[in-house]
Amino acid sequence: QAKAQGRNTLCFFDPAMQAAASARSALEGDIRLGIERNEFLLHYQPVVNAAGHRMGVEALVRWHHPQRGMVSPGEFIPLAEQTGLILPLGQQVLRMACTQLAQWSQQPDTCDWTVAVNVSAQEFRHPDFVKRVLDALRESGANAHQLKIELTESLLLQDVEDGIAKMRALREQGVGFSLDDFGTGYSSLSYLKRLPLDQLKIDQSFVRDVLTDPNDAAIACTIVTLAQSLGLDVVAEGVETEGQREFLLRNGCHQFQGYLFGRPVPADQL
Ligand code: C2E
Ligand code: MG
Ligand code: MG
Ligand code: MG
């Protein structure tokens, strides 16, 4: 097809595309090296209840790149997913989160905290996923009941039966499951009912304008009601103002996460 367009448009040699491709493979190599050199670390963001009390944290990966400084996941998770590097990276994330959880469980102020870990489609679909989680728990000595795994709707839609089986296997050991960015995917309600979940997280895109956009307000309130009907916890993500918190609380949401309560920071700065 490229040939048919004439010799000057051979798309493989398009300089812009070639530049993009080599930037990608440079980044891929950097990620690979970064995993070997332990350049990835976790920041933690508090999740609070209605009284403002910390119930736990979400672990969010960061890359301390030797030249580029601190890099956020949006810049490397997509490529890590495309290249399969998310598997070793995800394993490091799980190990680090479980090790931190085990440490917190030794201290009176933090002993009942939960730690939530984000998991990508590829990690979850891997046949060894359940084993990897259980290994990370066992090796760290962390309590499975204090570990939550955050999945997304699209990830779960890929192979529903396999996903449910994995969730059941881990839930039997005490691990909790949360549906992240809820409302942005396409899951049907009948399907949602079948999933062995513990929690829904209202996506921050509905929280942002919850006070000014009646549609966002309606969606946020519907998610709260849905969670209540299904017997699930509900957490609002991206809460930045007291007004948003107050509105959500008044409408039945009792757990919050967002800059209002704290940004993601290293464990020792929490
Ligand atoms: P997420 O799991 O939905 O995480 C919430 C994101 O919202 C985080 O961005 C967090 O820093 C940001 N956030 C929290 N509170 C507020 C707020 O009040 N306002 C605004 N504007 N943003 C807020 P972050 O850390 O850049 O992570 C982005 C996404 O990358 C995460 O979205 C998650 O999907 C993915 N991710 C992060 N860590 C991991 C990981 O260890 N493994 C995998 N597979 N994905 C990860
Ligand atoms: Mg998350
Ligand atoms: Mg989210
Ligand atoms: Mg997300």
Side-chain angles (χ1 to χ4, degrees):
Q1 196 210 340
K3 219 169 186 176
Q5 291 169 350
R7 44 188 314 167
N8 295 326
T9 55
L10 275 172
C11 60
F12 190 74
F13 295 109
D14 179 298
M17 273 184 63
Q18 201 176 32
S22 64
R24 279 165 51 91
S25 67
L27 180 61
E28 180 183 344
D30 268 15
I31 297 175
R32 199 180 298 277
L33 214 58
I35 294 171
E36 280 168 28
R37 295 180 178 171
N38 294 314
E39 290 168 5
F40 292 89
L41 63 148
L42 295 178
H43 281 185
Y44 297 89
Q45 185 178 36
V47 178
V48 306
N49 67 8
H53 182 78
R54 284 184 183 177
M55 322 264 302
V57 294
E58 176 174 2
L60 294 155
V61 70
R62 302 288 182 261
W63 183 7
H64 193 171
H65 189 282
Q67 281 89 41
R68 295 202 288 153
M70 209 60 91
V71 186
S72 44
E75 292 184 49
F76 59 86
I77 292 281
L79 190 62
E81 283 170 347
Q82 287 162 33
T83 54
L85 289 170
I86 194 70
L87 291 170
L89 178 57
Q91 236 173 329
Q92 281 193 358
V93 165
L94 264 169
R95 287 206 194 102
M96 290 189 285
C98 287
T99 303
Q100 186 59 61
L101 173 57
Q103 282 181 26
W104 277 327
S105 70
Q106 304 294 313
Q107 292 153 16
D109 294 347
T110 54
C111 63
D112 58 355
W113 279 10
T114 57
V115 172
V117 175
N118 294 281
V119 163
S120 291
Q122 241 199 80
E123 292 178 79
F124 185 67
R125 268 187 318 202
H126 193 280
D128 280 346
F129 177 70
V130 171
K131 183 181 178 303
R132 286 176 185 209
V133 175
L134 295 178
D135 283 351
L137 283 166
R138 193 170 28 78
E139 283 161 19
S140 61
N143 180 352
H145 290 87
Q146 290 172 280
L147 179 67
K148 273 202 175 73
I149 290 180
E150 297 196 3
L151 305 174
T152 57
E153 292 167 81
S154 56
L155 166 166
L156 280 166
L157 280 169
Q158 287 170 359
D159 186 347
V160 182
E161 295 311 323
D162 177 64
I164 290 175
K166 284 173 171 160
M167 291 169 81
R168 288 222 176 101
L170 285 170
R171 277 181 113 226
E172 271 171 28
Q173 305 300 314
V175 178
F177 282 90
S178 181
L179 203 46
D180 203 357
D181 306 339
F182 188 69
T184 62
Y186 299 93
S187 45
S188 73
L189 299 184
S190 60
Y191 148 79
L192 189 63
K193 186 186 75 174
R194 297 181 51 216
L195 296 176
L197 286 166
D198 300 277
Q199 183 180 78
L200 299 182
K201 295 188 85 169
I202 306 173
D203 188 63
Q204 56 189 56
S205 63
F206 306 118
V207 172
R208 192 177 307 124
D209 299 323
V210 80
L211 294 178
T212 51
D213 184 332
N215 292 330
D216 286 339
I219 292 170
C221 293
T222 301
I223 295 174
V224 172
T225 308
L226 178 65
Q228 286 167 347
S229 314
L230 295 172
L232 305 175
D233 284 350
V234 63
V235 182
E237 293 194 86
V239 179
E240 295 186 358
T241 69
E242 181 52 37
Q244 292 166 341
R245 186 197 83 97
E246 198 272 331
F247 177 90
L248 290 157
L249 182 63
R250 193 153 32 83
N251 286 283
C253 180
H254 299 282
Q255 289 185 53
F256 311 95
Q257 188 181 342
Y259 295 166
L260 180 63
F261 312 98
R263 290 181 179 251
V265 290
D268 58 10
Q269 285 173 39
L270 269 168

